Amino acid sequence: MSIMLKVIQYLRDPHSNKIKKLKKEYQELDELSNIAVEIGDVAAYRSLQKEMRDVYFDYLTAIVVDALYNIVPHVLIIWLISIKFKTVTIPIIKYETSVFAAYMVGYLSFMLGRWMFNYIKPKLCAKTDIVGLAGLQKIK
């Protein structure tokens, strides 16, 4: 079962380990660079700054690739929906909007609702003794 969870985690966020490693390496180089400044070693400082630039650009590249991995499923979903429907009609006010706008509003509403739920859940669990209601668990 744990192998399955590792596979799912990797597919969900394939570059997280690389990003963490590069960030840690950059922080270590920054600390060494500060030490080189304190002791006045100009050659070591320049060498560390060059290596920091290389690590930083690798870090930025990994973040951009990770962002592309996160946005591709949304682009595919919008594309598949737009093949069938060119516009979406909002039923209450009879207003037509593009599939992209409707998807963005729906996605932002979902993210806002999830954020609000995660914000309210600990407060609700702390005030009540209800355990198991809608997946809520008491925080210890």
Side-chain angles (χ1 to χ4, degrees):
M1 189 67 166
S2 65
I3 296 172
M4 189 69 152
L5 291 174
K6 287 180 182 179
V7 169
I8 290 172
Q9 178 63 28
Y10 177 77
L11 291 175
R12 186 171 178 224
D13 195 7
H15 298 99
S16 64
N17 292 334
K18 184 176 182 180
I19 290 172
K20 288 176 188 175
K21 184 185 78 128
L22 288 170
K23 185 176 180 180
K24 183 179 178 185
E25 186 177 345
Y26 183 82
Q27 290 171 345
E28 290 172 358
L29 289 171
D30 188 40
E31 291 172 6
L32 289 173
S33 179
N34 290 338
I35 292 171
V37 167
E38 288 175 5
I39 63 173
D41 191 356
V42 177
Y45 176 76
R46 286 183 182 164
S47 174
L48 288 168
Q49 287 296 314
K50 183 182 180 300
E51 193 170 344
M52 279 177 63
R53 278 192 298 271
D54 293 340
V55 171
Y56 183 69
F57 285 120
D58 290 341
Y59 176 70
L60 285 180
T61 303
I63 288 176
V64 167
V65 170
D66 191 49
L68 288 174
Y69 270 80
N70 289 333
I71 201 167
V72 165
H74 297 286
V75 171
L76 290 174
I77 290 170
I78 291 171
W79 176 67
L80 289 173
I81 293 172
S82 66
I83 288 174
K84 179 71 176 169
F85 306 103
K86 298 299 178 198
T87 60
V88 177
T89 304
I90 301 171
I92 296 172
I93 57 176
K94 305 287 187 222
Y95 181 75
E96 285 191 0
T97 185
S98 68
V99 171
F100 178 75
Y103 185 84
M104 287 303 293
V105 168
Y107 181 73
L108 291 175
S109 299
F110 170 76
M111 294 303 288
L112 180 65
R114 189 168 76 173
W115 176 80
M116 286 176 53
F117 179 75
N118 288 336
Y119 181 76
I120 293 171
K121 182 172 75 169
K123 294 178 182 180
L124 181 64
C125 290
K127 291 182 180 178
T128 64
D129 288 333
I130 299 173
V131 177
L133 178 65
L136 299 175
Q137 295 179 357
K138 202 168 197 177
I139 297 174
K140 297 176 182 171

